[in-house]
Amino acid sequence: MSLIIQNITKHITLTPEEQLLFLSKTETHTFKAKTILLNSGQICKHSYFINSGILRSFNINDNIVEYVLSFACEGWWIGDMYSLISQKPGNLFIEVLEDAEIVTLSKENQEYLYAAIPKLERFFRILTENSLVANQERLMDNLSLSAEERFEKFRRKYPTLLQKIPQKQIASYIGVTPEFFSKMKSKLLRK
Amino acid sequence: MSLIIQNITKHITLTPEEQLLFLSKTETHTFKAKTILLNSGQICKHSYFINSGILRSFNINDNIVEYVLSFACEGWWIGDMYSLISQKPGNLFIEVLEDAEIVTLSKENQEYLYAAIPKLERFFRILTENSLVANQERLMDNLSLSAEERFEKFRRKYPTLLQKIPQKQIASYIGVTPEFFSKMKSKLLRK
DNA sequence: GTACTTTCTTAATCTACATTAAGTGCCCTC
DNA sequence: GAGGGCACTTAATGTAGATTAAGAAAGTAC
């Protein structure tokens, strides 16, 4: 069974026909590392589900500094939720960090599927709830924890990513400069 | 029409019978300021909808410092999403800041209503999506903006709150100490 | 009204992290 | 295999905001 159907059937049950209908409304593509799937200022038309590879979403402040909102690997969804909901231009970029196979689901097809298979409302509600919880935790962590503690949380949340992505992006995710991250890392190694 | 039904019918349409069914599964209570509706360590059994008054959710780090996750006023929902979903003990407190009339919806009744009125899945999906977007924006703001800029955003988001709640709680929300907030405020006034 | 608690202010000192700058290693690509 | 770009490191200096401490103001309770 495809990864995306496995992902969905963690939370709801689909009949074989529903599974086929769902899949018929998606497309699967492969992308090379460094591909930008969504640019700041564009309207986000798709949700992305990752079969393999790594993606990130980020924005750029004053055209200078990048801030990573999220990473996503195999079995995760990613998109610009603001732009996807409002269908207005967003400020996120979505970029492929490691060659990836991606299932795309257009906003239109998603709406079509909500009508055709109302259970999917439930699935995406649960998915969104889980994102919200994770995001709230990260927000509180950013308010209350030190950079070292946030790094430790990152490691636990994304155990496979540490070796795979440039460390300046981990720095951005936990909210410090690459220089400070480097210093912090060597301090942790010396312990 | 009750405020909560108005709130729901912003996103979905309910028949009069569905409205009555929904309301029959809720309870309305009034609470005095300083009432704690949910304690850290408890399992959150209810979603709260605010007819009047002001609430906040916060957690306490190392039994010392409070961090405000959110404020909620008239027409907003509040709860401990993590605990509500997982039915495990959460780490949030929910407190009444200004005498309030609250509609409570138990987790059980919410699940019952999802089954009875599947459209409600859609409503709560949309509600959760909007929270997620707001939360993501706040996270990015905390990574990229100065305390002054975050204060300005707070003012725009909660224009009525500034005069109504202790300023140490605004400080906590934007992520600075009360002392620094006081200094910043007098600096802004001097301009 | 008086005492008690909580909030707010001011100011000195401190620190986690940013900024700037320079240099090193490494992977591309041609 | 030489040159150009990134990613990473190191170190000096700078700063936003924390900490500590003390007093003033404002609620709140009896």
Side-chain angles (χ1 to χ4, degrees):
Chain A
M1 190 173 21
S2 67
L3 197 57
I4 195 167
I5 295 295
Q6 281 179 49
N7 182 261
I8 294 171
T9 52
K10 271 184 204 160
H11 294 118
I12 60 171
T13 307
L14 293 182
T15 66
E17 300 76 46
E18 287 168 340
Q19 294 181 18
L20 285 175
L21 176 59
F22 184 94
L23 290 173
S24 75
K25 296 293 171 183
T26 68
E27 294 176 18
T28 302
H29 298 282
T30 61
F31 298 98
K32 286 271 161 209
K34 303 197 177 173
T35 309
I36 300 284
L37 296 184
L38 179 72
N39 251 294
S40 173
Q42 286 183 336
I43 294 174
C44 183
K45 305 268 188 206
H46 300 271
S47 301
Y48 302 104
F49 178 85
I50 299 156
N51 277 336
S52 65
I54 303 173
L55 277 72
R56 68 164 174 150
S57 64
F58 64 101
N59 79 18
I60 299 186
N61 192 264
D62 300 328
N63 291 315
I64 305 176
V65 190
E66 290 181 15
Y67 294 91
V68 172
L69 176 59
S70 69
F71 297 109
C73 348
E74 195 177 308
W76 295 53
W77 291 83
I78 196 167
D80 178 346
M81 196 53 118
Y82 165 75
S83 177
L84 208 49
I85 292 173
S86 66
Q87 288 296 291
K88 293 184 210 161
N91 51 31
L92 288 185
F93 297 78
I94 295 179
E95 183 197 22
V96 179
L97 291 181
E98 191 181 70
D99 294 0
E101 185 182 88
I102 306 286
V103 181
T104 65
L105 171 60
S106 72
K107 164 97 174 169
E108 284 160 33
N109 282 342
Q110 189 163 357
E111 292 293 344
Y112 171 87
L113 287 166
Y114 283 147
I117 312 173
K119 278 178 289 191
L120 284 173
E121 295 267 10
R122 181 177 186 82
F123 170 69
F124 283 104
R125 171 179 64 75
I126 293 171
L127 202 64
T128 309
E129 282 175 354
N130 290 335
S131 297
L132 178 58
V133 167
N135 220 78
Q136 283 183 347
E137 185 182 345
R138 188 165 160 220
L139 178 60
M140 295 311 267
D141 287 351
N142 273 297
L143 289 174
S144 62
L145 303 182
S146 69
E148 253 175 61
E149 290 168 316
R150 278 175 272 146
F151 178 45
E152 191 41 49
K153 284 231 168 186
F154 166 85
R155 279 171 115 149
R156 260 182 265 142
K157 180 165 181 183
Y158 299 106
T160 62
L161 248 55
L162 194 51
Q163 6 286 340
K164 290 188 182 171
I165 63 178
Q167 78 182 31
K168 60 180 268 196
Q169 290 181 14
I170 301 174
S172 166
Y173 178 87
I174 68 172
V176 297
T177 57
E179 293 86 352
F180 184 78
F181 186 84
S182 172
K183 199 161 82 175
M184 186 176 84
K185 203 185 75 174
S186 70
K187 186 184 143 202
L188 289 174
L189 285 175
R190 260 179 281 122
K191 279 188 186 167
Chain B
M1 191 171 21
S2 67
L3 199 56
I4 196 168
I5 296 296
Q6 282 179 49
N7 183 260
I8 294 171
T9 52
K10 270 183 206 160
H11 297 298
I12 60 172
T13 306
L14 293 183
T15 66
E17 299 76 47
E18 288 169 339
Q19 293 182 19
L20 284 175
L21 176 59
F22 184 92
L23 290 173
S24 76
K25 295 294 172 185
T26 67
E27 293 175 17
T28 303
H29 298 283
T30 61
F31 298 98
K32 287 269 162 209
K34 304 201 176 166
T35 308
I36 301 284
L37 295 184
L38 180 71
N39 251 293
S40 172
Q42 287 183 334
I43 294 174
C44 183
K45 304 268 189 207
H46 299 271
S47 300
Y48 301 104
F49 177 85
I50 299 157
N51 277 335
S52 66
I54 303 171
L55 277 73
R56 66 164 176 151
S57 64
F58 64 100
N59 78 17
I60 299 186
N61 192 262
D62 300 328
N63 291 315
I64 304 178
V65 190
E66 291 180 16
Y67 293 91
V68 172
L69 176 59
S70 68
F71 296 109
C73 350
E74 196 178 308
W76 296 54
W77 291 83
I78 196 169
D80 178 346
M81 197 54 122
Y82 165 75
S83 177
L84 209 51
I85 292 172
S86 65
Q87 287 295 291
K88 294 185 208 160
N91 51 31
L92 288 186
F93 295 80
I94 295 178
E95 182 196 22
V96 179
L97 290 183
E98 191 181 70
D99 294 1
E101 186 183 88
I102 307 285
V103 181
T104 65
L105 170 61
S106 73
K107 165 97 173 170
E108 284 160 32
N109 282 341
Q110 188 164 357
E111 293 293 343
Y112 171 85
L113 286 166
Y114 283 146
I117 313 174
K119 277 177 290 189
L120 284 173
E121 296 269 8
R122 182 176 183 84
F123 171 69
F124 283 104
R125 172 179 63 76
I126 293 171
L127 201 65
T128 309
E129 281 175 355
N130 289 334
S131 297
L132 178 59
V133 167
N135 221 79
Q136 283 183 347
E137 186 183 342
R138 187 164 160 220
L139 178 61
M140 295 313 266
D141 287 350
N142 273 298
L143 290 174
S144 62
L145 302 182
S146 69
E148 252 175 63
E149 292 169 315
R150 278 176 271 144
F151 177 44
E152 191 42 48
K153 285 230 171 187
F154 165 85
R155 280 172 115 149
R156 259 183 264 141
K157 182 166 179 183
Y158 299 106
T160 62
L161 249 56
L162 193 52
Q163 4 287 339
K164 290 190 183 170
I165 63 177
Q167 79 182 30
K168 61 181 268 199
Q169 289 181 16
I170 301 173
S172 166
Y173 178 88
I174 68 173
V176 297
T177 58
E179 294 85 354
F180 183 77
F181 185 84
S182 173
K183 195 161 86 176
M184 187 176 83
K185 204 185 75 174
S186 70
K187 186 183 143 204
L188 289 174
L189 286 175
R190 258 180 282 120
K191 278 186 187 166

